[in-house]
Amino acid sequence: KNGLPKMNIHLNKSNFSAQNFSLSYEPNDIYVSLETVKARRGWNEISAVKNDKVIMVTSTSPGEGKTTAVTNLAISLSDLGKKVLLVDSDPQGSLTICMGYQEPDKIKDTLFSIITKEANDEEVPEDFAIIHHSENVDLIPANIELSTAEISLASAFCRESILKAYMDDIKEKYDYVVIDCMPSLGMLTVNALTCADSVFIPVQAAYLPVKGL
């Protein structure tokens, strides 16, 4: 309150930014600075996720900022010196595109390739389908081919834990694995839920997004 810059916060994801700010709340006149929050939480690591290795970001509603949250979370963890694996589990390939691969449909080895090998009980070679990105994170990409996984998994043995079988083999190489899910509760999302330690659901402050929660 004493000399800190103040800004009004509106719940609009397109123009929100959070740097050195104070949040004012009427009528109780409460002021919280970002630096105070950092000091109280011991901001040497993102406290909300520091004990969770596999984090999935999901929502049944489209346009909630899932891919944006995944990208920012992964890069922030990487900036803290953590080794991070990004997993694109959306056939639209939005995360893959956000990471700079503008034509995901031309990528040969993707998450679909891994799921197919696991479902057929085939060995998945080390670093198979993993792209080492210049932002110091690794990425398992996705493209439209992944949309057929829902059908192929329908008859697979232990179909809900295909991704977990792969993740159990690889996650020890990373500090964090962050999975970007499609906006549905299909078999791909169920697979991500099975192997996740925590679930992050971004929601806009509006009726329909909250109802979708």
Side-chain angles (χ1 to χ4, degrees), residues 128 138 164 179:
F128 177 76
D138 287 350
K164 184 178 188 301
I179 306 173

Side-chain angles (χ1 to χ4, degrees), residues 114-121 153 156-168 187 191 194-195:
I114 293 172
I115 289 175
T116 300
K117 285 182 177 293
E118 286 287 350
N120 294 329
D121 203 23
L153 286 173
F157 180 70
C158 294
R159 59 184 180 176
E160 72 283 349
S161 57
I162 296 294
L163 185 59
K164 184 178 188 301
Y166 171 75
M167 206 59 65
D168 287 345
M187 191 50 60
N191 266 261
T194 303
C195 64

Side-chain angles (χ1 to χ4, degrees), residues 23-37:
L23 175 63
S24 60
Y25 177 77
E26 300 292 338
N28 295 324
D29 202 27
I30 298 173
Y31 293 79
V32 181
S33 73
L34 183 61
E35 296 305 319
T36 300
V37 175

Side-chain angles (χ1 to χ4, degrees), residues 47-101:
S47 59
V49 299
K50 65 181 180 180
N51 294 319
D52 299 324
K53 180 177 285 287
V54 182
I55 306 160
M56 67 175 287
V57 180
T58 186
S59 173
T60 56
S61 301
E64 296 295 326
K66 294 183 293 295
T67 301
T68 301
V70 168
T71 305
N72 289 330
L73 175 60
I75 301 303
S76 297
L77 288 169
S78 176
D79 288 345
L80 290 171
K82 306 301 178 182
K83 189 173 182 181
V84 183
L85 173 65
L86 285 166
V87 181
D88 192 348
S89 185
D90 187 345
Q92 297 180 88
S94 298
L95 178 60
T96 303
I97 294 171
C98 282
M99 296 305 293
Y101 303 95

